[in-house]
Amino acid sequence: MRRRQVLTLAAVGAAVAGCTPEPPASAPAPGASAAPGGPATGLVFPPGFAWGASTSAYQIEGAAAEDGRGKSVWDTFSHLPGRTRGGDTGDVAADHYHRVYEDLDLMKDLGLKSYRFSISWSRVLPAGRGALNAKGLDFYHRLVDGLLQRGITPMATLFHWDTPQALQDKGGWEQRDCAHWFADYAQQMFYSLGDKVPAWLTLNEPKTVVALGYTTGIHAPGKKDRRAAYVAGHHLLLGHGLAVKAFRGTGRKGTIGAALNLSPVYPADGSPGAAEQARAVDLDENRRWLDPVLLGKYPDGWLAGQPADAPVHAAVKDGDAALIGERSDVLAVQYYNPMHVTAQGGRVTKHPTTQASWLEVYPDGLFDLLTRIKRDYGDIPLTITENGMPTVNDVQDDDRIAFLRDHFAAAHRAIAAGVRLQGFHVWSLLDNFEWAEGYSQRWGLIRVDPATKDRRRKASADWYRNVIARNALA
Ligand code: IFM
C-alpha cells in the first residue's frame, strides 16, 4: 500500500473514531452485585496478570447483512444445507453487534482486565480489499473505546476463520496473493485502530483451518483436499509474517503474535513404537506451526516428509521462512486437550471428555505445554487466549468451574516453574455459534438465551469474578 493511501486510511479511522458516541452510563449488568474482595490467599497470580475472556466475530456479532458488511466464507457455508447442526447460522448469533454496550458492562462487572475479540475482515472490507467500510469500522471503534473506558485492555485478532467470500472467489488461502491481501487488511487495521489497541493477534488456529476447513471439509470453505490444505497452511503462515512486518512498518506501539492451538502429545504406552509415533504427531500438531513462527524455519524433515509431488513444495519460496519468522512479541496459546498416540499411530483417550467429544480433560497437559514452549523456544512472553469447555448444564455450570479451576492451577504451576505467562483468557465470554455444531454447544460464562438473546451470568461467571478480584485461586 502506498503512503498516500495510508494517510487516507488513517484519516478515515480518525474521522470515524468519534462518530458514534456511547450512550450515557447504562443500567447495571443483569445480576450485577458488589465486587468481591478480601486478601489474596491460595494460589496468588503475579500482579497485573491479564485475566480475560475471548470471543470471535462470526460467533457472536450477528448483523450479518447490516451496515455494508460483506459475506465471509462462513456466511456461505453455514447457509448450505447440512453443513451445521440444525442448519444454524451466525446471522444473528449472540446479537453482540447491537448489544455491545450491554456486553461491555458485563465484562466490566466480571472485572476483566483483557478482552480478546476478532475483527470481521468482511465487515471492515466488504470485498476483502480496497475501500474501508466506515460503518463497519465504526463498530470496532465503539467496542474498543468502550473497553478502554472500562479499564479493559483490547486484544484484537485479525483472522478468526472468516475469510471474505470475495477473496475466496479468487482462490482464498490457496492463492499466495491471499497472504498479501491479509497483510494489507492488517495494515489498514493498524492505522485505523492501532492508536487504541495495544495487543494484536494475526491468525487464530491456522491448524484448525487446515484440518477442518481444507482436509475434512467440516468447516468453511468445506474443501477436502489435503494437498491444497498444506498450501493454504503455508499461505496462512506467510500472511502472519507479512502482517507482523506491516505492524513494525507502521511504527505502532504494542505487541503482536499468532494464536496457535497446541496439544501436548504423549505415547499411549511405554513402547518405542508409541514414542516414535508421538514424535511424528507432535511434528504435525505443534512443531509445524511453532517452528516457522518462532524459529523462522519449518522443522527438519517436515517439508521433506511431504510427497515429492505435493504442491506445498512449490508454494514455499526462498525467503518465506524468514518472513514467517518475523519477530513476534508474544505467543498466544490455546489449549484444550492432550493427544495419546499408539505404536500404530492411532489415538486413544485416557481421561474424561466433555460434551465436545474431542475435548479430553487433562489440565496437567497445559503445564506440560507451557513448560515445553519455554524449554524448546525460549522465553517469549505467553498468554493463554483460549481454554474452556461446553456443558449441557445451564447456569449452574459447576463442571465448568471445576475445569477452569484445574487449568488455572496448572497455569499457576507453570508460572512458578519460570514460564512468562502474562494472561489467561477463558473461552468464551458468551454462549455463541460453535461453527459446525451450531448453537448445540454452549461455551459461555454468560448465558445467551437462544430466542431472546437475553444475557444471564452463569455460576462460572460469578466464580471467575471472584478469582479476578482476588487475583488468586482460593
Ligand atoms: O469456538 C472455538 C473457537 O472459535 C476456536 N477455538 C476452539 C473453540 C471451541 O471449539
Side-chain angles (χ1 to χ4, degrees), residues 251-272:
R252 288 294 196 201
K253 292 198 175 62
T255 62
I256 189 161
L260 302 181
N261 53 325
L262 303 165
S263 291
V265 183
Y266 306 97
D269 55 50
S271 68

Side-chain angles (χ1 to χ4, degrees), residues 68-294:
R69 178 182 177 275
K71 279 191 193 320
S72 79
V73 292
W74 267 98
D75 294 280
T76 308
F77 187 78
S78 64
H79 279 269
L80 294 174
R83 298 307 182 102
T84 63
R85 197 174 289 272
D88 290 346
T89 73
D91 287 0
V92 179
D95 201 26
H96 172 69
Y97 191 79
H98 298 117
R99 294 172 179 252
V100 62
Y101 295 120
E102 181 183 353
D103 291 340
L104 284 163
D105 286 343
L106 284 162
M107 291 183 224
K108 165 93 178 144
D109 192 56
L110 265 176
L112 294 190
K113 309 290 178 209
S114 174
Y115 174 56
R116 183 238 178 179
F117 61 96
S118 81
I119 297 172
S120 159
W121 185 348
S122 62
R123 192 180 291 288
V124 294
L125 287 168
R129 46 205 290 244
L132 278 167
N133 172 27
K135 284 188 173 173
L137 186 58
D138 186 29
F139 170 72
Y140 295 105
H141 279 290
R142 289 200 295 278
L143 172 63
V144 168
D145 290 343
L147 289 167
L148 294 173
Q149 280 155 15
R150 289 163 181 79
I152 303 169
T153 303
M155 178 183 276
T157 306
L158 290 157
F159 178 69
H160 199 121
W161 306 353
D162 44 0
T163 311
Q165 184 59 47
L167 300 184
Q168 188 63 32
D169 294 343
K170 295 181 192 302
W173 290 103
E174 287 171 64
Q175 295 298 322
R176 189 176 175 87
D177 284 346
C178 199
H180 293 277
W181 298 330
F182 175 67
D184 287 348
Y185 146 64
Q187 188 190 47
Q188 286 171 290
M189 293 304 102
F190 302 145
Y191 277 112
S192 301
L193 295 164
D195 54 341
K196 313 184 207 177
V197 173
W200 292 91
L201 299 173
T202 53
L203 310 174
N204 177 75
E205 298 187 4
K207 181 168 71 181
T208 310
V209 178
V210 166
L212 303 189
Y214 284 87
T215 307
T216 63
I218 64 173
H219 276 190
K223 302 253 167 150
K224 294 183 189 168
D225 180 348
R226 177 177 272 276
R227 290 159 64 87
Y230 278 33
V231 172
H234 178 65
H235 292 152
L236 280 157
L237 285 175
L238 186 61
H240 157 80
L242 290 168
V244 174
K245 193 169 176 210
F247 182 69
R248 306 285 176 225
T250 62
R252 288 294 196 201
K253 292 198 175 62
T255 62
I256 189 161
L260 302 181
N261 53 325
L262 303 165
S263 291
V265 183
Y266 306 97
D269 55 50
S271 68
E276 195 183 321
Q277 291 290 347
R279 269 193 298 279
V281 172
D282 179 54
L283 188 68
D284 224 37
E285 288 290 326
N286 301 312
R287 295 190 51 211
R288 179 250 178 114
W289 305 103
L290 285 165
D291 285 23
V293 168
L294 297 182

Side-chain angles (χ1 to χ4, degrees), residues 59 160-161 204-205 334 336 358 386 427 434-435 443:
Q59 291 181 273
H160 199 121
W161 306 353
N204 177 75
E205 298 187 4
Q334 313 206 153
Y336 288 98
W358 55 268
E386 287 189 26
W427 183 271
E434 176 55 18
W435 309 113
W443 292 72

Side-chain angles (χ1 to χ4, degrees), residues 417-461:
V419 171
R420 284 173 76 189
L421 182 66
Q422 300 182 332
F424 198 121
H425 300 74
V426 172
W427 183 271
S428 178
L429 178 71
L430 302 170
D431 287 340
N432 58 36
F433 174 74
E434 176 55 18
W435 309 113
E437 298 298 336
Y439 298 97
S440 66
Q441 291 182 5
R442 306 180 73 73
W443 292 72
L445 296 163
I446 311 278
R447 178 183 195 273
V448 177
D449 186 274
T452 64
K453 307 297 174 191
D454 285 349
R455 275 63 168 148
R456 183 164 165 208
R457 288 155 46 137
K458 301 184 187 176
S460 59

